[in-house]
Amino acid sequence: MPDHAPGTVEQQVILTVEAGTTCTTAVERAGLPTSGPDAVVVVRATDGTLKDLTWVPEVDTDVEAVPMSSPDGLSVLRHSAAHVLAQAVQDLFPEAKLGIGPPIENGFYYDFGVEVPFDPDDIERIEKRMREIVKAGQRFQRRVFPSGDAARTELAAEPYKLELIDDKSGVDADQLMEIGEGELTIYDNVDRKTGATCWSDLCRGPHLPSTKLIYASKLLRNAAAYWRGSEKNPQLQRIYGTAWPTKDALQAHLHRLEEAARRDHRRIGEALELFTFSKEVGKGLPLWLPNGTIVRDELEQWARTTERRLGYQRVVTPHITREDLYYLSGHLPYYADDLYAPIDIEGEKYYLKPMNCPHHHMVFKARPRSYRELPFRLAEYGTVYRFERSGQLLGLMRARGFTQNDAHIYCTHAQAKDEFLAVMRLHDHYYRALGITDFYMVLALRDPDNKDKYHDDEAMWTEAERLTREAMEESGIPYVEEVGGAAHYGPKVDFIIRSATGREFAASTNQVDLYTPERFGLSYRGASGAEEPVVVIHQAPLGSHERFVAYLTEHFAGAFPVWLAPEQAVVIPVMPEMDDYARAVNDRLVAADIRSHADLSDARLAAKVRTAVTRKVPLVVVVGRREADDGTVTVRDRSGTEQTMPLDAFVDRALDLIATKSLDGAGHLIPEAT
Ligand SMILES: [Zn+2]
Ligand SMILES: [Zn+2]
């Protein structure tokens, strides 16, 4: 997920490092902190690269001070902690071979080749050894190998590192800390007092100046991982950890992790019977159970009503399609890896549909269009299939087949900005109604240094960026820009929503597309009678059912608002004599279209209430003799508050909660730590 939410802009501090002196000297002279959570840990040179504080420029050089608490500073902290982890492991398990150890979001990992997987006792011992290394305040010292052979000789006992040295040319430098462009370097961990080298690791750096700056770290778990992510390679043991500038920040993170585990959609999905997977059906292909189907149907109903009011027309398109359409769209041959193998039908190749766009374009093209028909808006909850490696699958979050809240707008150039703005407003409308207040947009632009990946019509790029940016500005929704993330055919806008636990999800991708109309020949007859190209706007505010329901399950911790709850009410008689009245109350609720059932089992009252609470039923209706005599019900809501009211009043209230999509009692607010 992007680590660049808006609102984290820091004050840039520029230092001048005098020729022949270290950056540390410049930092100290400037009076900047060298310890504590705001310590300057590395510097950024003018070419954008990060350098150790021990770096000595040959000429007077301006650099930017990078504090530990900044995003880059945190990565350096976490990667340095990964070194300490590896050192601790080799101290305790000298035969362990080193894999890779990069920083990741909120933490780090290191992969080890070992005969026996680590057990919890091992992890505890490793953590203890890490604390000793941190306390010793070892310095990270950079050393350049004079040659590749020198590196191979020194690392002869590390087969994985040797492999990295040898396929250096083919490595994506962003992914690997071990080696970068240019010279091969190794970092020695040096004893502060004796100057002796305690341990070394092939790495391009940079690192903290000293291990003692690792104030708060913790190992989290270990898991098996294939070397370089391929099942054909040996299996290694990966240890995950986290590191923060303060103990408080670490505690807050650990609390968020606990909360995230409690809210995990796979766990809740099983408990509430929302969805399941079956070995026979296949990996990454969810089966929606009746309860989950209710949630998805409610969302879909909401989207249909909203789209109809906004002038969208619904269409339905097939799941398999001739290869010709994908050559036209450009999915073939370039994105063949994302598609499943074709199906042969009477000598023609058909593919499972990876996206709905080309089909909608063909709907637009079904007959000539006039300017009077524009904007022409098409919507479909369309099911698509994309290849995902089995290792990448994650419950509903990442599945092989999913159904998207997809829509396309075909409009004139003059209409495009307002139409795109309306798309952003629609996102805002949906998200706020669901209590999602923490969201922003990412404008993914083309990388000007890597133009091969994109179409080469300069004027079109400029125009698409201008239209997109103008609409984004006017929306007032915060956004950040990301160079290099654009699609082949134009810039795109992702909506990133944060869950109650602070986790970020890319919910939907949207685009102003000037390129596709040319490829597909999508045009309309203008007022003058001439054919003009349309502008296509792609949008999917509610993403896919799979991802969005997974997100909402975590967002609400399974306690969906009444309108989305699979079971909205349960009627519980206090004793068997009240069964008839319970049945009558339930019939009345069901007749009013409220999803209700009566619990007439043999269980005791307290147990029935507990079951209802565990199943996250928002309205628990308890009826006894008094209620039966008075024609009332006693309603217990999720906060545990009980209220007795006439049955009619309760029905009205429940219908009102549903109609207004009330968030009363929904679990989207993170409970205070107890
Ligand atoms: Zn390193
Ligand atoms: Zn599209």
Side-chain angles (χ1 to χ4, degrees):
M1 287 298 132
D3 202 7
H4 52 201
T8 52
V9 181
E10 291 133 32
Q11 206 72 37
Q12 274 192 6
V13 180
I14 304 293
L15 303 169
T16 303
V17 187
E18 282 174 27
T21 69
T22 64
C23 299
T24 311
T25 310
V27 169
E28 284 170 354
R29 252 186 227 153
L32 295 173
T34 52
S35 63
D38 295 319
V40 175
V41 290
V42 291
V43 296
R44 184 180 289 103
T46 40
D47 65 358
T49 56
L50 297 176
K51 305 272 189 195
D52 295 311
L53 289 187
T54 50
W55 182 51
V56 178
E58 285 165 12
V59 293
D60 289 4
T61 303
D62 282 351
V63 298
E64 185 194 332
V66 178
M68 174 151 51
S69 49
S70 69
D72 281 331
L74 287 170
S75 287
V76 170
L77 162 68
R78 288 163 185 160
H79 172 65
S80 302
H83 274 246
V84 173
L85 162 62
Q87 183 181 352
V89 166
Q90 287 201 321
D91 284 354
L92 297 168
F93 305 88
E95 74 291 354
K97 303 297 175 203
L98 300 172
I100 59 168
I104 52 174
E105 191 188 8
N106 293 328
F108 59 88
Y109 69 77
Y110 213 113
D111 288 342
F112 302 98
V114 283
E115 292 294 320
V116 186
F118 301 110
D119 66 24
D121 284 347
D122 296 334
I123 298 293
E124 213 168 282
R125 282 168 62 215
I126 295 166
E127 245 184 342
K128 181 164 172 276
R129 179 69 194 125
M130 285 176 73
R131 282 195 294 273
E132 290 164 5
I133 296 167
V134 166
K135 211 170 150 204
Q138 295 175 1
R139 283 184 288 116
F140 285 90
Q141 198 165 288
R142 184 173 186 271
R143 173 158 58 90
V144 181
F145 283 115
S147 67
D149 278 343
R152 278 181 209 100
T153 308
E154 183 164 341
L155 295 162
E158 295 288 355
Y160 301 110
K161 298 288 183 190
L162 288 178
E163 204 179 300
L164 291 178
I165 295 171
D166 287 332
D167 69 1
K168 185 165 180 258
S169 52
V171 164
D172 178 354
D174 288 347
Q175 306 254 310
L176 274 184
M177 287 301 299
E178 280 63 26
I179 49 187
E181 285 165 19
E183 50 199 9
L184 271 177
T185 55
I186 189 161
Y187 275 76
D188 297 322
N189 276 62
V190 175
D191 186 284
R192 185 171 44 154
K193 296 190 187 105
T194 65
T197 296
C198 314
W199 184 78
S200 308
D201 195 8
L202 175 75
C203 192
R204 66 181 154 108
H207 302 95
L208 299 175
S210 160
T211 59
K212 73 169 191 288
L213 290 170
I214 302 170
Y215 298 120
S217 73
K218 180 149 184 51
L219 296 184
L220 298 173
R221 63 198 168 89
N222 56 311
Y226 290 105
W227 169 238
R228 313 287 298 272
S230 167
E231 301 95 86
K232 294 182 199 115
N233 290 336
Q235 203 176 57
L236 307 180
Q237 291 298 315
R238 175 171 299 177
I239 300 181
Y240 287 95
T242 187
W244 296 81
T246 65
K247 294 227 155 41
D248 284 351
L250 173 64
Q251 282 312 319
H253 177 66
L254 295 177
H255 175 66
R256 280 194 299 273
L257 288 182
E258 261 171 47
E259 189 59 24
R262 191 176 76 81
R263 288 173 179 257
D264 190 313
H265 79 279
R266 290 166 295 181
R267 195 178 142 266
I268 296 174
E270 192 182 328
L272 299 186
E273 296 179 80
L274 300 178
F275 64 92
T276 191
F277 289 91
S278 123
K279 216 170 115 194
E280 289 77 4
V281 172
K283 284 180 185 166
L285 299 169
L287 293 168
W288 288 84
L289 300 175
N291 283 344
T293 304
I294 289 170
V295 178
R296 109 182 220 155
D297 281 353
E298 286 291 347
L299 283 173
E300 195 160 328
Q301 187 53 45
W302 186 32
R304 283 178 195 215
T305 311
T306 308
E307 286 159 2
R308 193 178 58 236
R309 284 180 191 153
L310 293 173
Y312 287 82
Q313 306 180 76
R314 290 179 54 77
V315 291
V316 176
T317 62
H319 289 219
I320 63 169
T321 294
R322 272 182 68 195
E323 62 179 340
D324 301 51
L325 186 64
Y326 299 121
Y327 278 107
L328 184 57
S329 69
H331 287 95
L332 290 174
Y334 303 109
Y335 298 95
D337 287 352
D338 297 336
L339 274 58
Y340 290 101
I343 305 159
D344 185 295
I345 302 178
E346 296 175 339
E348 290 183 325
K349 275 188 192 167
Y350 283 74
Y351 283 89
L352 281 172
K353 161 165 85 169
M355 27 174 49
N356 306 300
C357 322
H359 295 77
H360 289 188
H361 303 338
M362 298 321 278
V363 171
F364 180 83
K365 265 186 86 157
R367 65 166 171 76
R369 304 286 174 186
S370 146
Y371 70 96
R372 289 194 191 84
E373 291 178 77
L374 307 186
F376 185 77
R377 305 181 185 92
L378 295 178
E380 174 178 20
Y381 252 104
T383 304
V384 297
Y385 297 88
R386 293 186 199 161
F387 178 69
E388 295 279 357
R389 293 180 171 284
S390 46
Q392 298 291 317
L393 299 172
L394 183 76
L396 290 184
M397 258 337 152
R398 216 172 247 271
R400 286 179 166 164
F402 47 93
T403 303
Q404 288 180 309
N405 172 223
D406 215 348
H408 295 92
I409 301 170
Y410 302 82
C411 64
T412 69
H413 219 91
Q415 293 164 337
K417 193 200 81 186
D418 285 346
E419 287 299 315
F420 203 44
L421 180 59
V423 165
M424 285 168 200
R425 300 240 153 96
L426 180 57
H427 281 76
D428 191 75
H429 164 76
Y430 280 136
Y431 296 167
R432 280 179 202 283
L434 291 164
I436 305 167
T437 50
D438 202 355
F439 60 90
Y440 64 97
M441 303 184 285
V442 177
L443 169 58
L445 299 166
R446 146 184 90 135
D447 178 357
D449 296 331
N450 188 5
K451 287 193 175 168
D452 297 354
K453 276 172 66 184
Y454 315 102
H455 76 71
D456 58 1
D457 187 331
E458 267 312 307
M460 197 182 270
W461 275 101
T462 312
E463 181 61 0
E465 278 176 22
R466 184 186 67 81
L467 284 168
T468 305
R469 221 185 244 116
E470 276 180 18
M472 292 177 88
E473 285 289 343
E474 207 168 318
S475 76
I477 300 168
Y479 73 93
V480 294
E481 297 190 2
E482 183 184 271
V483 172
H488 166 72
Y489 49 99
K492 57 180 192 158
V493 179
D494 283 338
F495 269 78
I496 310 294
I497 54 184
R498 274 201 209 93
S499 76
T501 55
R503 242 170 98 184
E504 294 192 335
F505 296 82
S508 88
T509 297
N510 309 276
Q511 274 183 303
V512 175
D513 180 358
L514 305 178
Y515 179 73
T516 300
E518 213 167 76
R519 227 182 141 93
F520 274 79
L522 306 174
S523 64
Y524 65 97
R525 176 144 304 182
S528 66
E531 284 291 316
E532 307 268 355
V534 293
V535 174
V536 177
I537 292 174
H538 305 250
Q539 60 133 329
L542 297 175
S544 72
H545 275 321
E546 283 69 15
R547 241 178 119 68
F548 208 71
V549 171
Y551 167 81
L552 288 181
T553 303
E554 300 191 356
H555 175 64
F556 291 123
F560 293 103
V562 181
W563 74 278
L564 275 177
E567 297 173 83
Q568 295 172 318
V570 56
V571 185
I572 301 175
V574 299
M575 52 186 150
E577 289 80 356
M578 297 298 118
D579 280 6
D580 284 346
Y581 184 60
R583 229 178 256 123
V585 167
N586 184 58
D587 288 348
R588 173 87 174 77
L589 297 180
V590 171
D593 256 344
I594 295 164
R595 293 186 289 271
S596 171
H597 76 279
D599 184 348
L600 306 180
S601 66
D602 295 339
R604 300 163 70 97
L605 174 64
K608 289 183 181 182
V609 171
R610 218 166 30 241
T611 302
V613 169
T614 314
R615 294 188 66 82
K616 314 273 188 200
V617 181
L619 302 167
V620 181
V621 181
V622 180
V623 294
R625 189 169 306 282
R626 191 163 53 93
E627 282 84 3
D629 289 347
D630 299 349
T632 59
V633 290
T634 294
V635 183
R636 189 181 191 280
D637 67 19
R638 281 186 177 132
S639 68
T641 315
E642 287 190 2
Q643 211 186 337
T644 303
M645 63 186 87
L647 176 56
D648 284 343
F650 170 63
V651 171
D652 287 348
R653 193 183 128 192
L655 291 177
D656 185 61
L657 289 171
I658 293 166
T660 60
K661 301 195 161 50
S662 168
L663 293 170
D664 278 3
H668 60 298
L669 298 173
I670 191 164
E672 285 304 311
T674 46

